[in-house]
Amino acid sequence: MKTIARRCLIIIGVFVFGIVSARANSDSLVAPFKVGEKLEFGIYYQFIRVGTAVMEVMDTVEVNGQPAIHIQTRARSSSFFDSFYRVRDEVNTYVHPQYFHSLRFTKRLREGSYFFDLNVDYNYSDSLTTGEKIRYHEDDEKRIRKRENFEFKMTDPLYDILASFYFTRLHELETGQPISVNSNDNDKVYPLKVFVQREEKIDTDAGEFRTLQIVPKIRGESIFKQKGTMWIWLTDDKYKIPVKLK
């Protein structure tokens, strides 16, 4: 049943994967999204709805004395699917309002008997990233099994997995041209690449869209721990909204 659960809910992971674009220009960037944008997705296994995912640009806040845009994604299994594999995940990124690199990142995963928290701060004045990973006992999400602190030096601005997705929407994507950026996942930094496979017109429940089919090459842990290839369809316009994945 857990194997089926992973296959059913793997679809949610895309909304926090680091699908990224080329490095940011030195000039500030103009975002195609703003506070109040909310994207809602139904999660299906074949024809059965097993959950929902929400991506939302929440508000503008202050992080370590700096203004930041707060973006959140939430994943939740349906009440019926809860009896097989309950999911209540929440991921938050706080990004620079002009350059969109990460200032703070939090991840709270509640997937079946897997409970995990991650908290990361990016201090650019000291070129230092600090974080905390917390694992909980399988039978009690409030009882800590292991707590681990980490830190490492930064040489360039970093983008967490959720910030990377929104950073992508700021740039042009070209068929056949792989692009990458410095991505951070847990205590790791690596070049994260995405390949634009082709242009395609697709039909969805929300209507017909001209899209770009994208294949992200991902290492590290996403909102769901998973393996395999994922295809994502983004609208072929300045908004780059995800409308389908497989």
Side-chain angles (χ1 to χ4, degrees):
M1 181 58 68
K2 287 187 177 181
T3 300
I4 296 176
R6 288 290 182 195
R7 292 178 62 193
C8 292
L9 293 170
I10 194 173
I11 191 170
I12 302 175
V14 67
F15 302 120
V16 292
F17 276 156
I19 309 168
V20 298
S21 184
R23 70 179 63 181
N25 296 325
S26 58
D27 297 330
S28 60
L29 302 169
V30 178
F33 50 84
K34 60 182 179 179
V35 171
E37 180 190 82
K38 185 176 182 180
L39 306 176
E40 299 186 25
F41 304 87
I43 311 303
Y44 292 84
Y45 176 66
Q46 295 183 356
F47 299 104
I48 303 173
R49 182 162 179 155
V50 298
T52 58
V54 176
M55 299 180 69
E56 186 171 3
V57 184
M58 303 290 287
D59 51 14
T60 301
V61 298
E62 189 173 285
V63 174
N64 296 328
Q66 300 183 65
I69 300 174
H70 175 202
I71 302 171
Q72 182 182 91
T73 184
R74 304 181 294 277
R76 181 185 182 95
S77 53
S78 66
S79 57
F80 172 78
F81 201 71
D82 280 347
S83 59
F84 301 100
Y85 194 80
R86 186 176 187 270
V87 173
R88 298 290 187 275
D89 286 356
E90 180 180 295
V91 176
N92 296 277
T93 185
Y94 301 83
V95 300
H96 192 284
Q98 290 180 299
Y99 306 112
F100 298 94
H101 53 254
S102 300
L103 299 176
R104 175 173 291 167
F105 177 74
T106 67
K107 177 162 60 173
R108 183 178 185 272
L109 305 185
R110 300 294 183 269
E111 304 169 8
S113 60
Y114 177 77
F115 310 122
F116 175 77
D117 291 343
L118 173 66
N119 304 295
V120 184
D121 273 305
Y122 304 85
N123 189 332
Y124 292 96
S125 60
D126 295 331
S127 299
L128 188 68
T129 297
T130 59
E132 177 185 53
K133 296 188 285 186
I134 305 173
R135 285 290 304 273
Y136 298 86
H137 286 268
E138 292 185 356
D139 59 348
D140 187 353
E141 66 176 281
K142 296 182 179 179
R143 189 158 62 98
I144 295 176
R145 189 178 79 180
K146 182 179 180 180
R147 186 193 301 268
E148 179 182 352
N149 295 313
F150 62 86
E151 67 176 41
F152 57 87
K153 284 287 187 178
M154 295 181 289
T155 57
D156 296 297
L158 294 179
Y159 301 81
D160 63 68
I161 53 179
L162 182 54
S164 296
F165 178 84
Y166 279 84
F167 184 70
T168 302
R169 296 174 61 189
L170 306 175
H171 298 272
E172 293 295 328
L173 302 175
E174 297 183 12
T175 303
Q177 297 295 319
I179 48 182
S180 63
V181 75
N182 284 331
S183 180
N184 168 233
D185 188 16
N186 289 306
D187 54 352
K188 306 296 183 182
V189 176
Y190 50 83
L192 183 62
K193 293 186 177 181
V194 59
F195 296 82
V196 183
Q197 298 291 90
R198 60 179 179 176
E199 299 177 1
E200 185 177 0
K201 184 179 292 186
I202 64 171
D203 288 312
T204 71
D205 291 342
E208 185 178 82
F209 296 93
R210 293 178 58 87
T211 67
L212 296 172
Q213 186 193 61
I214 290 177
V215 178
K217 301 297 183 180
I218 299 165
R219 290 180 293 169
E221 186 177 275
S222 67
I223 192 170
F224 282 90
K225 303 186 301 299
Q226 63 180 58
K227 297 179 181 179
T229 301
M230 183 173 291
W231 291 269
I232 304 162
W233 286 259
L234 304 179
T235 56
D236 188 10
D237 55 25
K238 66 179 181 180
Y239 299 107
K240 305 296 188 293
I241 296 173
V243 293
K244 179 183 176 182
L245 62 100
K246 184 177 180 180

